[in-house]
């Protein structure tokens, strides 16, 4: 038999850890964000997002409901304003009972852009 090509979506072995809808904070943003367990590796996936462009946007996992990056886990620059993309190999401290908010932060103006409360 023929094997189907791998899907661009999260693989079937992925277990949903936490998921939330993206909301803008004084900016426009939509789409879905989730943390998935890819067989022992945690990944943060952005699904069909549309985020208003700002200079120097960065991505952070912060304590649930927080809208500043203080005390959060920086994941680097926002990879794209639109589409679907994944941050692999999240640090170990993401696991556990703590709940997270994914925050998009504008480093240039020190303002929140968008967030998704993951639960």
């Amino acid at each position: 038999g023929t094997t189907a090509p791998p899907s661009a979506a999260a693989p079937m072995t992925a277990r949903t850890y936490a998921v939330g809808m993206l909301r803008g904070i004084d900016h426009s943003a939509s789409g879905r964000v989730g943390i998935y367990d890819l067989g022992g590796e945690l990944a943060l996936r952005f699904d069909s997002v549309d985020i208003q462009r700002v200079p120097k946007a960065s991505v952070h996992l912060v304590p649930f409901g927080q809208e500043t990056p203080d005390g959060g886990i920086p994941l680097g620059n926002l990879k794209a304003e639109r589409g679907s993309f994944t941050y692999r190999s999240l640090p170990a401290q993401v696991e556990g009972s703590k709940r997270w908010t994914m925050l998009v932060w504008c480093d240039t103006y020190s303002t929140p852009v968008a967030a998704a409360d993951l639960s």
Side-chain angles (χ1 to χ4, degrees):
T2 58
T3 54
S7 156
M12 291 304 291
T13 53
R15 187 173 63 80
T16 303
Y17 191 79
V19 73
M21 298 308 290
L22 198 57
R23 66 176 192 280
I25 304 169
D26 297 327
H27 295 78
S28 62
S30 62
R32 197 178 124 167
V33 179
I35 297 175
Y36 298 92
D37 183 337
L38 309 177
E41 174 196 34
L42 285 182
L44 179 71
R45 179 159 172 84
F46 288 66
D47 272 310
S48 305
V49 299
D50 190 342
I51 302 167
Q52 184 176 333
R53 181 186 292 268
V54 297
K56 281 192 69 68
S58 58
V59 173
H60 305 261
L61 285 174
V62 299
F64 195 80
Q66 186 173 300
E67 293 186 354
T68 68
D70 303 338
I73 302 169
L75 298 180
N77 294 331
L78 181 66
K79 292 184 179 184
E81 282 94 17
R82 286 183 180 74
S84 301
F85 46 91
T86 303
Y87 291 79
R88 309 278 308 233
S89 304
L90 299 185
Q93 72 245 49
V94 173
E95 287 203 87
S97 57
K98 196 167 180 181
R99 291 170 70 206
W100 299 96
T101 289
M102 186 291 303
L103 178 71
V104 178
W105 182 257
C106 175
D107 296 330
T108 302
Y109 296 108
S110 296
T111 54
V113 177
D117 295 323
L118 307 178
S119 57

